[in-house]
Amino acid sequence: MSGQEVVFALLGVVAIGSGIMVVTTRNLVHAALWLVVSFGALAGGYLVLTAEFVAWVQVLIYVGAVVVLLLFGIMLTRAPIGESADLDSGNRWAAASVAAATALVLVTVVAMGFRDERMPLKAGHGSADELGASVFRTWVLPFEVLSVLLLASLVGAIVLSRLDIRARPETGARADEEDGV
C-alpha cells in the first residue's frame, strides 16, 4: 500500500466518521460543523487524487457557501438548537439496522464490481479544462437541478421565517390604526 493510498484511506475514515456524527448529533449547529469536517476530508481526498481544482471548489463552494447557507437556514427558521424530545421518534435501532444493511449492500456491490481495478494517478486529470468539459457536456442537467434545489431551499427558509413573523400578535401603533383609533 502506497503513501497516497494510506492518506486516502485515512481521509475516507474521517469523512465517514464525521458523516455519522452529522446524522447522530442532536444539536443542529454541531451537525453543520461536522459537515464542514466531512467536506474538508473530501477536499483532501480530491487533493490526493490530483484533482486540485475540484478540491478548491469543494472548499469554496461546499464548505464556504453551502454550510453557511445551512446555518442561515437554521437561524432564519428558528429551529430548536438544543435537544428536542418531540423530534425523536424512537426508531433509532430500526434506522441503524436499515443504514447498516444498505451500507453492506453498497460496499459489497462496489467491491465485487471493482475487485482488481486500479486507476493510475496522473497530474492534470483534475484540471479546470477537463472538469469544465465534463460538467457542461455530460453533467449539465444534474448540475442545474442541484442549483435550483439550493435556491428553493433558501427561498423556503425565508418564507418560513416570514410566516413566523406574520403570526406574531401586533402591538403598538399598527394595532391602534386597525382599530380605527
Side-chain angles (χ1 to χ4, degrees), residues 83-96:
E83 291 185 19
S84 180
D86 60 337
L87 295 178
D88 190 9
S89 68
N91 294 329
R92 288 186 187 194
W93 293 109

Side-chain angles (χ1 to χ4, degrees), residues 64-111:
V66 172
V67 172
V68 169
L69 177 72
L70 286 172
L71 290 173
F72 278 135
I74 290 169
M75 289 187 289
L76 283 174
T77 58
R78 293 178 182 85
I81 293 179
E83 291 185 19
S84 180
D86 60 337
L87 295 178
D88 190 9
S89 68
N91 294 329
R92 288 186 187 194
W93 293 109
S97 62
V98 168
T102 303
L104 181 66
V105 167
L106 287 174
V107 167
T108 303
V109 167
V110 169

Side-chain angles (χ1 to χ4, degrees), residues 3-75:
Q4 287 178 329
E5 291 171 337
V6 170
V7 171
F8 188 77
L10 290 175
L11 288 169
V13 168
V14 169
I16 290 171
S18 59
I20 289 171
M21 290 301 296
V22 168
V23 297
T24 58
T25 188
R26 292 179 180 229
N27 190 320
L28 289 175
V29 176
H30 291 170
L33 294 175
W34 279 113
L35 192 62
V36 169
V37 173
S38 181
F39 286 157
L42 288 176
Y46 291 138
L47 283 175
V48 171
L49 294 174
T50 69
E52 294 87 7
F53 179 73
V54 180
W56 282 112
V57 168
Q58 174 79 18
V59 169
L60 292 174
I61 301 299
Y62 286 103
V63 175
V66 172
V67 172
V68 169
L69 177 72
L70 286 172
L71 290 173
F72 278 135
I74 290 169
M75 289 187 289

Side-chain angles (χ1 to χ4, degrees), residues 109-175:
V109 167
V110 169
M112 290 174 63
F114 299 101
R115 188 173 309 256
D116 293 326
E117 294 293 322
R118 294 285 186 255
M119 184 173 181
L121 298 177
K122 298 176 187 170
H125 279 285
S127 68
D129 184 38
E130 270 193 44
L131 181 69
S134 175
V135 165
F136 293 113
R137 286 189 193 134
T138 309
W139 299 105
V140 69
L141 184 62
F143 184 77
E144 291 301 322
V145 168
L146 179 64
S147 65
V148 170
L149 179 68
L150 289 173
L151 178 65
S153 66
L154 178 63
V155 170
I158 292 170
V159 167
L160 287 174
S161 70
R162 298 305 298 178
L163 289 176
D164 187 40
I165 291 171
R166 287 188 203 145
R168 282 191 252 161
E170 296 193 24
T171 59
R174 283 190 65 183

